[in-house]
Amino acid sequence: MALSSDVVECEEPGADDPQALCGAQAATHGRCLAHLSAEGRRAYLATLSPGADVHLRGATIPDGLLAELLNALRDDHGDVQTGLADFSGVTFSGDVDFLTVTFSPTPKT
């Protein structure tokens, strides 16, 4: 999936090169999900609902953060559903299991 040219990138320094920006897609306030403060992350995740689009391109996701994200996308039946999703270039530091996630090929309306 191609992202639009108006994608905002994370303004935090990158892990590999502190002189360069992180470059991951920003979730909110110029920070990617991994660089948001705990309070900012909780606030952002609270805005999500099942079927929401998920764009984590280039982010480094520490252990536990993926579970927080997937819980925000869980419906009343316990199923995890995303809208459009971009995990290209993501680095996960923990175990990853997408077996119970339903990815939607069409945007949420």
Side-chain angles (χ1 to χ4, degrees), residues 20-91:
L21 295 180
C22 167
Q25 184 166 348
T28 186
H29 301 297
R31 303 289 183 267
C32 68
L33 188 59
H35 282 125
L36 287 173
S37 66
E39 181 179 322
R41 185 171 52 248
R42 279 191 299 276
Y44 172 72
L45 292 174
T47 68
L48 301 180
S49 61
D53 293 345
V54 177
H55 300 289
L56 296 177
R57 178 190 53 81
T60 298
I61 305 299
D63 195 30
L65 184 53
L66 180 62
E68 290 181 49
L69 172 64
L70 296 181
N71 282 333
L73 300 170
R74 197 172 304 280
D75 66 17
D76 294 339
H77 302 288
D79 300 320
V80 177
Q81 300 178 29
T82 75
L84 296 175
D86 184 359
F87 290 96
S88 58
V90 171
T91 301

